[in-house]
PDB file of all heavy atoms in Angstrom:
ATOM      1  N   SER H 100      12.266 -75.674  -5.948  1.00 91.00           N
ATOM      2  CA  SER H 100      11.866 -75.083  -4.669  1.00 91.00           C
ATOM      3  C   SER H 100      12.240 -73.597  -4.625  1.00 91.00           C
ATOM      4  O   SER H 100      11.446 -72.751  -4.193  1.00 91.00           O
ATOM      5  CB  SER H 100      12.557 -75.840  -3.535  1.00 91.00           C
ATOM      6  OG  SER H 100      12.416 -75.141  -2.341  1.00 91.00           O
ATOM      7  N   ASP H 101      13.456 -73.295  -5.103  1.00 90.00           N
ATOM      8  CA  ASP H 101      13.907 -71.894  -5.106  1.00 90.00           C
ATOM      9  C   ASP H 101      12.985 -71.033  -5.973  1.00 90.00           C
ATOM     10  O   ASP H 101      12.547 -69.942  -5.572  1.00 90.00           O
ATOM     11  CB  ASP H 101      15.348 -71.839  -5.622  1.00 90.00           C
ATOM     12  CG  ASP H 101      16.064 -70.566  -5.217  1.00 90.00           C
ATOM     13  OD1 ASP H 101      15.374 -69.556  -4.992  1.00 90.00           O
ATOM     14  OD2 ASP H 101      17.295 -70.561  -5.122  1.00 90.00           O
ATOM     15  N   ALA H 102      12.660 -71.555  -7.175  1.00 88.00           N
ATOM     16  CA  ALA H 102      11.790 -70.794  -8.096  1.00 88.00           C
ATOM     17  C   ALA H 102      10.405 -70.578  -7.478  1.00 88.00           C
ATOM     18  O   ALA H 102       9.837 -69.479  -7.542  1.00 88.00           O
ATOM     19  CB  ALA H 102      11.670 -71.529  -9.419  1.00 88.00           C
ATOM     20  N   LEU H 103       9.861 -71.630  -6.850  1.00 91.00           N
ATOM     21  CA  LEU H 103       8.512 -71.507  -6.274  1.00 91.00           C
ATOM     22  C   LEU H 103       8.508 -70.576  -5.056  1.00 91.00           C
ATOM     23  O   LEU H 103       7.540 -69.832  -4.841  1.00 91.00           O
ATOM     24  CB  LEU H 103       7.975 -72.890  -5.887  1.00 91.00           C
ATOM     25  CG  LEU H 103       7.513 -73.747  -7.070  1.00 91.00           C
ATOM     26  CD1 LEU H 103       7.180 -75.155  -6.622  1.00 91.00           C
ATOM     27  CD2 LEU H 103       6.291 -73.120  -7.747  1.00 91.00           C
ATOM     28  N   LEU H 104       9.592 -70.590  -4.293  1.00 92.00           N
ATOM     29  CA  LEU H 104       9.651 -69.660  -3.149  1.00 92.00           C
ATOM     30  C   LEU H 104       9.767 -68.212  -3.630  1.00 92.00           C
ATOM     31  O   LEU H 104       9.205 -67.292  -3.027  1.00 92.00           O
ATOM     32  CB  LEU H 104      10.842 -70.009  -2.243  1.00 92.00           C
ATOM     33  CG  LEU H 104      10.561 -71.054  -1.174  1.00 92.00           C
ATOM     34  CD1 LEU H 104      11.808 -71.384  -0.398  1.00 92.00           C
ATOM     35  CD2 LEU H 104       9.472 -70.582  -0.203  1.00 92.00           C
ATOM     36  N   THR H 105      10.509 -68.019  -4.720  1.00 91.00           N
ATOM     37  CA  THR H 105      10.603 -66.671  -5.308  1.00 91.00           C
ATOM     38  C   THR H 105       9.222 -66.219  -5.780  1.00 91.00           C
ATOM     39  O   THR H 105       8.817 -65.068  -5.574  1.00 91.00           O
ATOM     40  CB  THR H 105      11.601 -66.674  -6.481  1.00 91.00           C
ATOM     41  OG1 THR H 105      12.795 -67.300  -6.055  1.00 91.00           O
ATOM     42  CG2 THR H 105      11.918 -65.257  -6.943  1.00 91.00           C
ATOM     43  N   ALA H 139       9.436 -61.924   2.065  1.00 94.00           N
ATOM     44  CA  ALA H 139      10.324 -62.592   1.102  1.00 94.00           C
ATOM     45  C   ALA H 139      11.576 -63.126   1.799  1.00 94.00           C
ATOM     46  O   ALA H 139      12.002 -64.263   1.556  1.00 94.00           O
ATOM     47  CB  ALA H 139      10.709 -61.611  -0.003  1.00 94.00           C
ATOM     48  N   LEU H 142      10.773 -66.168   3.942  1.00 95.00           N
ATOM     49  CA  LEU H 142      10.607 -67.358   3.099  1.00 95.00           C
ATOM     50  C   LEU H 142      11.957 -67.862   2.602  1.00 95.00           C
ATOM     51  O   LEU H 142      12.224 -69.067   2.565  1.00 95.00           O
ATOM     52  CB  LEU H 142       9.707 -67.030   1.897  1.00 95.00           C
ATOM     53  CG  LEU H 142       8.212 -66.885   2.186  1.00 95.00           C
ATOM     54  CD1 LEU H 142       7.499 -66.310   0.974  1.00 95.00           C
ATOM     55  CD2 LEU H 142       7.599 -68.236   2.541  1.00 95.00           C
ATOM     56  N   GLY H 143      12.817 -66.899   2.216  1.00 95.00           N
ATOM     57  CA  GLY H 143      14.150 -67.253   1.716  1.00 95.00           C
ATOM     58  C   GLY H 143      14.973 -67.967   2.768  1.00 95.00           C
ATOM     59  O   GLY H 143      15.632 -68.971   2.493  1.00 95.00           O
ATOM     60  N   LEU H 144      14.929 -67.453   4.012  1.00 94.00           N
ATOM     61  CA  LEU H 144      15.704 -68.066   5.093  1.00 94.00           C
ATOM     62  C   LEU H 144      15.148 -69.443   5.442  1.00 94.00           C
ATOM     63  O   LEU H 144      15.901 -70.374   5.719  1.00 94.00           O
ATOM     64  CB  LEU H 144      15.693 -67.159   6.329  1.00 94.00           C
ATOM     65  CG  LEU H 144      16.453 -65.822   6.193  1.00 94.00           C
ATOM     66  CD1 LEU H 144      16.246 -64.981   7.435  1.00 94.00           C
ATOM     67  CD2 LEU H 144      17.937 -66.064   5.966  1.00 94.00           C
ATOM     68  N   ALA H 145      13.809 -69.550   5.417  1.00 94.00           N
ATOM     69  CA  ALA H 145      13.187 -70.828   5.783  1.00 94.00           C
ATOM     70  C   ALA H 145      13.536 -71.916   4.777  1.00 94.00           C
ATOM     71  O   ALA H 145      13.806 -73.050   5.155  1.00 94.00           O
ATOM     72  CB  ALA H 145      11.678 -70.656   5.878  1.00 94.00           C
ATOM     73  N   GLY H 146      13.518 -71.549   3.480  1.00 92.00           N
ATOM     74  CA  GLY H 146      13.718 -72.564   2.452  1.00 92.00           C
ATOM     75  C   GLY H 146      15.042 -72.474   1.747  1.00 92.00           C
ATOM     76  O   GLY H 146      15.247 -73.103   0.724  1.00 92.00           O
ATOM     77  N   ARG H 147      15.949 -71.653   2.306  1.00 91.00           N
ATOM     78  CA  ARG H 147      17.268 -71.466   1.706  1.00 91.00           C
ATOM     79  C   ARG H 147      17.134 -71.099   0.225  1.00 91.00           C
ATOM     80  O   ARG H 147      17.746 -71.713  -0.653  1.00 91.00           O
ATOM     81  CB  ARG H 147      18.061 -72.758   1.876  1.00 91.00           C
ATOM     82  CG  ARG H 147      19.532 -72.504   1.939  1.00 91.00           C
ATOM     83  CD  ARG H 147      20.270 -73.786   2.207  1.00 91.00           C
ATOM     84  NE  ARG H 147      21.606 -73.641   1.677  1.00 91.00           N
ATOM     85  CZ  ARG H 147      22.671 -74.201   2.188  1.00 91.00           C
ATOM     86  NH1 ARG H 147      22.568 -74.941   3.250  1.00 91.00           N
ATOM     87  NH2 ARG H 147      23.860 -74.030   1.653  1.00 91.00           N
ATOM     88  N   SER H 148      16.305 -70.095  -0.034  1.00 92.00           N
ATOM     89  CA  SER H 148      16.042 -69.698  -1.424  1.00 92.00           C
ATOM     90  C   SER H 148      16.801 -68.426  -1.762  1.00 92.00           C
ATOM     91  O   SER H 148      16.572 -67.359  -1.174  1.00 92.00           O
ATOM     92  CB  SER H 148      14.543 -69.469  -1.618  1.00 92.00           C
ATOM     93  OG  SER H 148      14.316 -68.689  -2.761  1.00 92.00           O
ATOM     94  N   ILE H 149      17.692 -68.546  -2.733  1.00 91.00           N
ATOM     95  CA  ILE H 149      18.477 -67.385  -3.186  1.00 91.00           C
ATOM     96  C   ILE H 149      17.544 -66.351  -3.823  1.00 91.00           C
ATOM     97  O   ILE H 149      17.672 -65.146  -3.595  1.00 91.00           O
ATOM     98  CB  ILE H 149      19.546 -67.859  -4.200  1.00 91.00           C
ATOM     99  CG1 ILE H 149      20.558 -68.740  -3.480  1.00 91.00           C
ATOM    100  CG2 ILE H 149      20.241 -66.682  -4.858  1.00 91.00           C
ATOM    101  CD1 ILE H 149      21.419 -69.570  -4.410  1.00 91.00           C
ATOM    102  N   GLY H 150      16.578 -66.840  -4.607  1.00 90.00           N
ATOM    103  CA  GLY H 150      15.658 -65.931  -5.296  1.00 90.00           C
ATOM    104  C   GLY H 150      14.809 -65.129  -4.324  1.00 90.00           C
ATOM    105  O   GLY H 150      14.624 -63.922  -4.498  1.00 90.00           O
ATOM    106  N   ALA H 151      14.309 -65.777  -3.268  1.00 93.00           N
ATOM    107  CA  ALA H 151      13.449 -65.065  -2.308  1.00 93.00           C
ATOM    108  C   ALA H 151      14.256 -64.046  -1.508  1.00 93.00           C
ATOM    109  O   ALA H 151      13.772 -62.935  -1.261  1.00 93.00           O
ATOM    110  CB  ALA H 151      12.777 -66.071  -1.372  1.00 93.00           C
ATOM    111  N   VAL H 152      15.485 -64.404  -1.112  1.00 95.00           N
ATOM    112  CA  VAL H 152      16.320 -63.429  -0.384  1.00 95.00           C
ATOM    113  C   VAL H 152      16.638 -62.239  -1.296  1.00 95.00           C
ATOM    114  O   VAL H 152      16.607 -61.078  -0.866  1.00 95.00           O
ATOM    115  CB  VAL H 152      17.615 -64.099   0.146  1.00 95.00           C
ATOM    116  CG1 VAL H 152      18.576 -63.070   0.713  1.00 95.00           C
ATOM    117  CG2 VAL H 152      17.273 -65.115   1.226  1.00 95.00           C
ATOM    118  N   THR H 153      16.895 -62.547  -2.575  1.00 93.00           N
ATOM    119  CA  THR H 153      17.134 -61.463  -3.548  1.00 93.00           C
ATOM    120  C   THR H 153      15.903 -60.568  -3.651  1.00 93.00           C
ATOM    121  O   THR H 153      16.008 -59.339  -3.656  1.00 93.00           O
ATOM    122  CB  THR H 153      17.466 -62.068  -4.939  1.00 93.00           C
ATOM    123  OG1 THR H 153      18.628 -62.871  -4.801  1.00 93.00           O
ATOM    124  CG2 THR H 153      17.702 -60.994  -5.975  1.00 93.00           C
ATOM    125  N   TRP H 193      25.793 -69.882   2.224  1.00 89.00           N
ATOM    126  CA  TRP H 193      25.323 -70.738   1.119  1.00 89.00           C
ATOM    127  C   TRP H 193      26.305 -70.760  -0.057  1.00 89.00           C
ATOM    128  O   TRP H 193      26.052 -71.420  -1.052  1.00 89.00           O
ATOM    129  CB  TRP H 193      23.945 -70.276   0.619  1.00 89.00           C
ATOM    130  CG  TRP H 193      22.887 -70.225   1.678  1.00 89.00           C
ATOM    131  CD1 TRP H 193      22.925 -70.814   2.914  1.00 89.00           C
ATOM    132  CD2 TRP H 193      21.636 -69.540   1.609  1.00 89.00           C
ATOM    133  NE1 TRP H 193      21.785 -70.533   3.616  1.00 89.00           N
ATOM    134  CE2 TRP H 193      20.957 -69.755   2.833  1.00 89.00           C
ATOM    135  CE3 TRP H 193      21.010 -68.769   0.635  1.00 89.00           C
ATOM    136  CZ2 TRP H 193      19.702 -69.218   3.105  1.00 89.00           C
ATOM    137  CZ3 TRP H 193      19.759 -68.237   0.899  1.00 89.00           C
ATOM    138  CH2 TRP H 193      19.112 -68.466   2.137  1.00 89.00           C
ATOM    139  N   LEU H 198      23.988 -64.184  -4.847  1.00 91.00           N
ATOM    140  CA  LEU H 198      23.762 -63.314  -3.687  1.00 91.00           C
ATOM    141  C   LEU H 198      24.940 -62.363  -3.466  1.00 91.00           C
ATOM    142  O   LEU H 198      24.756 -61.237  -3.011  1.00 91.00           O
ATOM    143  CB  LEU H 198      23.506 -64.152  -2.433  1.00 91.00           C
ATOM    144  CG  LEU H 198      22.064 -64.606  -2.234  1.00 91.00           C
ATOM    145  CD1 LEU H 198      21.919 -65.386  -0.937  1.00 91.00           C
ATOM    146  CD2 LEU H 198      21.089 -63.426  -2.214  1.00 91.00           C
TER     147      LEU H 198
END
Side-chain angles (χ1 to χ4, degrees):
Chain H
S100 168
D101 200 334
L103 285 172
L104 273 177
T105 311
L142 286 169
L144 292 175
R147 208 176 155 148
S148 161
I149 293 164
V152 171
T153 300
W193 304 344
L198 275 182

